[in-house]
Amino acid sequence: MSSSNTHTSTIGAIGAPSRRNTELALLVFAVVIPVFAYANVGLSIGGELPSGMLGYGLGLGLLAGVAHLVVRKFARYADPLLLPLATLLNGLGLVLIWRLDQSPRLKQRAESAFGSYSPDAPKQLLYSAIAIAMFVGVLMLLKDHRILQRYTYISMAVALVLLIIPMFFPAVNGAKIWINLGGFTIQPGEFAKIIIAIFFSGYLMVKRDALALASRRFMGIYLPRGRDLGPIITIWALSLLILVFETDLGTSLLFFGMFVVMLYVATERTSWIVFGLVMSAAGAVGVATFEPHVQSRVTAWLDPFDCYQSDVTGACQQIADGLMSFGAGGTLGAGLGQGNSDLIGFAANADFILTTVGEELGLAGMMAMLLLYGLIVERGLRTALAARDPFGKLLAAGLSGAFAIQVFVVAGGVLGLIPLTGMTMPFLAYGGSSVLANWVLIAILIRISDTARRPAPAPAPTSDAEMTQVVRP
């Protein structure tokens, strides 16, 4: 009987390949390319292979190998591109930071300002190792992403605490986005973007029908009801408070933009996008009329060369130097290690690390780098489309949207498309908080993609199977 039931089932498990060997092959390239870049920088600057190249290659390869083994064991059907893309960006970021560490101008500036100089590349490698450990921890402990839905409102409380805490610490470079604990600095906003995506996913999953269906049509646009505007007005007000009290334009844009994107995904209403853009623009213009830090960023954005000499904040000089770096790079760039992007100063290895890419790898290198970011966003959105549960769809779309917004905000600020925000470029820029948070983000996307691509289980045999079996003559 049991044999008969097995062979007459009409729904069987789908034998989808796990693609783990594909991931392993891509990881080899993701490690080899930064190692070649490292050798290229060493030959360009010192005329010989850098002494730390072997250790760097083994370290990056070991981290990638551990991450791959954990994915193979705990997320067998996960998307095969996410881990190699993150590894490649992280590896290239380490090379760029090490390249800037070799700058005599940055060494001299650090010694005159702080009395000593400490290279950032070894610290970034340590942060990357800790980030991979957190990546492993998330995949091992988070067996099912739907568990996060239980903590919807706890996530909201934790995210608000993380966003509010920096208000009580001194401003760094004009913005209160850092907290200093025993000599260690943390940027809580990087972690808040993940936690608040969990809250938005849980909230919108419950409220999306009311937001999508209860609306009125006006001039071809579906307008939400007044009482349904409550969440977006609350989020808009919170993002403005962040901008006012912490003078953090980047986090407020990320925070509000992610909510609008997730609202659109949940309701499929274009009106939410229109409302979001109008309210975001109105809020930014309103705050820029009285907040000096935001005013200086807007002035530097409008004409950085006009205020190049007179600006005391340094924003005009940074943007102008960055634009000149991009211009000097041309189409193919000056070559790794042969640019002068270190003239930008203290932000050269943070949000302005893209200027090193633009000057030394040219427009072609910039396009390749942005393509890598675009592929991560595309794989995240593909995961959202493939997810079988609404919470997973919203969470994957929210995390992908947050990643895309952050890349756009940083790249747009450096390229002069929007005012400078001060956020860090994911994986490329120096910063422990950023690399830790983005590896956790990749781990959650991998967990959701594993659930989405996992073959459906074979149906349990039932007593009705005898009625549906096919009898061959």
Side-chain angles (χ1 to χ4, degrees):
M1 177 67 72
S2 60
S3 174
S4 173
N5 287 343
T6 301
H7 292 295
T8 58
S9 297
T10 55
I11 302 175
I14 303 171
S18 68
R19 302 293 186 192
R20 296 283 62 85
N21 292 333
T22 304
E23 179 184 85
L24 181 60
L26 292 174
L27 270 178
V28 172
F29 284 103
V31 173
V32 168
I33 291 173
V35 170
F36 273 108
Y38 192 80
N40 194 339
V41 174
L43 290 170
S44 174
I45 294 178
E48 59 184 10
L49 292 175
S51 58
M53 195 178 92
L54 180 62
Y56 167 75
L58 290 176
L60 186 62
L62 180 63
L63 292 176
V66 169
H68 169 72
L69 290 176
V70 171
V71 172
R72 187 178 281 270
K73 171 71 175 176
F74 294 97
R76 185 181 174 192
Y77 294 97
D79 187 295
L81 285 182
L82 285 170
L83 179 59
L85 288 169
T87 303
L88 178 56
L89 284 171
N90 201 161
L92 291 174
L94 285 165
V95 172
L96 294 174
I97 294 168
W98 181 79
R99 176 261 173 276
L100 291 168
D101 282 344
Q102 311 309 308
S103 165
R105 284 186 285 253
L106 289 180
K107 288 181 182 178
Q108 187 178 8
R109 185 178 290 117
E111 287 172 352
S112 62
F114 307 108
S116 63
Y117 172 73
S118 175
D120 291 327
K123 290 182 282 187
Q124 184 73 357
L125 185 58
L126 176 63
Y127 295 145
S128 301
I130 298 173
I132 294 291
M134 290 183 68
F135 172 88
V136 169
V138 169
L139 286 181
M140 292 177 67
L141 297 175
L142 186 65
K143 303 293 185 186
D144 188 340
H145 63 272
R146 288 169 294 187
I147 294 173
L148 297 173
Q149 189 182 346
R150 301 175 187 171
Y151 307 104
T152 297
Y153 291 98
I154 294 177
S155 301
M156 179 190 68
V158 173
L160 288 177
V161 169
L162 289 175
L163 290 171
I164 291 171
I165 281 180
M167 293 183 188
F168 304 101
F169 287 83
V172 178
N173 299 324
K176 294 183 177 181
I177 58 176
W178 298 92
I179 60 175
N180 193 328
L181 298 173
F184 291 96
T185 55
I186 302 172
Q187 192 174 356
E190 288 284 348
F191 300 97
K193 70 183 179 188
I194 298 174
I195 298 172
I196 209 159
I198 295 171
F199 162 66
F200 286 161
S201 303
Y203 176 83
L204 291 174
M205 201 189 76
V206 176
K207 300 289 185 180
R208 62 176 181 169
D209 288 340
L211 291 166
L213 301 177
S215 58
R216 297 173 182 173
R217 188 178 175 88
F218 177 73
M219 295 180 65
I221 299 176
Y222 287 95
L223 300 177
R225 296 181 306 186
R227 59 176 177 271
D228 294 329
L229 282 173
I232 197 168
I233 290 177
T234 303
I235 298 301
W236 177 66
L238 282 173
S239 64
L240 281 185
L241 288 175
I242 293 170
L243 179 58
V244 171
F245 289 105
E246 300 181 0
T247 58
D248 182 11
L249 183 60
T251 301
S252 59
L253 279 175
L254 174 65
F255 187 38
F256 187 70
M258 181 171 61
F259 183 63
V260 173
V261 168
M262 294 180 72
L263 263 177
Y264 175 71
V265 172
T267 64
E268 299 180 3
R269 294 292 191 197
T270 311
S271 55
W272 287 109
I273 298 290
V274 175
F275 271 105
L277 291 175
V278 170
M279 294 177 73
S280 179
V285 171
V287 173
T289 58
F290 65 87
E291 175 55 50
H293 181 72
V294 179
Q295 284 177 347
S296 67
R297 294 294 178 96
V298 173
T299 302
W301 167 58
L302 291 175
D303 192 352
F305 295 98
D306 183 56
C307 55
Y308 190 87
Q309 297 291 344
S310 59
D311 181 39
V312 295
T313 64
C316 295
Q317 186 177 357
Q318 281 182 331
I319 296 178
D321 289 346
L323 294 176
M324 286 189 280
S325 291
F326 288 120
T331 304
L332 298 177
L336 276 174
Q338 301 181 46
N340 294 293
S341 62
D342 53 331
L343 287 170
I344 293 173
F346 68 90
N349 63 0
D351 43 346
F352 276 88
I353 199 166
L354 267 184
T355 60
T356 303
V357 178
E359 182 171 359
E360 301 190 352
L361 296 177
L363 179 64
M366 275 290 292
M367 292 298 103
M369 201 66 75
L370 294 177
L371 181 62
L372 294 177
Y373 284 113
L375 281 174
I376 289 182
V377 175
E378 189 269 340
R379 301 310 293 187
L381 293 178
R382 183 184 287 263
T383 297
L385 289 173
R388 297 166 186 161
D389 62 294
F391 179 77
K393 285 182 182 294
L394 285 169
L395 184 56
L399 294 176
S400 305
F403 193 85
I405 292 170
Q406 184 164 351
V407 171
F408 169 75
V409 164
V410 179
V414 174
L415 291 166
L417 297 175
I418 60 173
L420 196 63
T421 59
M423 298 185 75
T424 55
M425 202 67 181
F427 294 116
L428 280 191
Y430 171 72
S433 303
S434 177
V435 74
L436 289 173
N438 285 304
W439 270 110
V440 170
L441 185 150
I442 293 294
I444 296 174
L445 284 179
I446 284 179
R447 169 56 66 209
I448 299 173
S449 70
D450 174 57
T451 306
R453 298 178 76 249
R454 186 173 290 277
T462 65
S463 58
D464 296 333
E466 290 291 343
M467 301 173 62
T468 58
Q469 66 180 339
V470 177
V471 179
R472 298 181 182 280

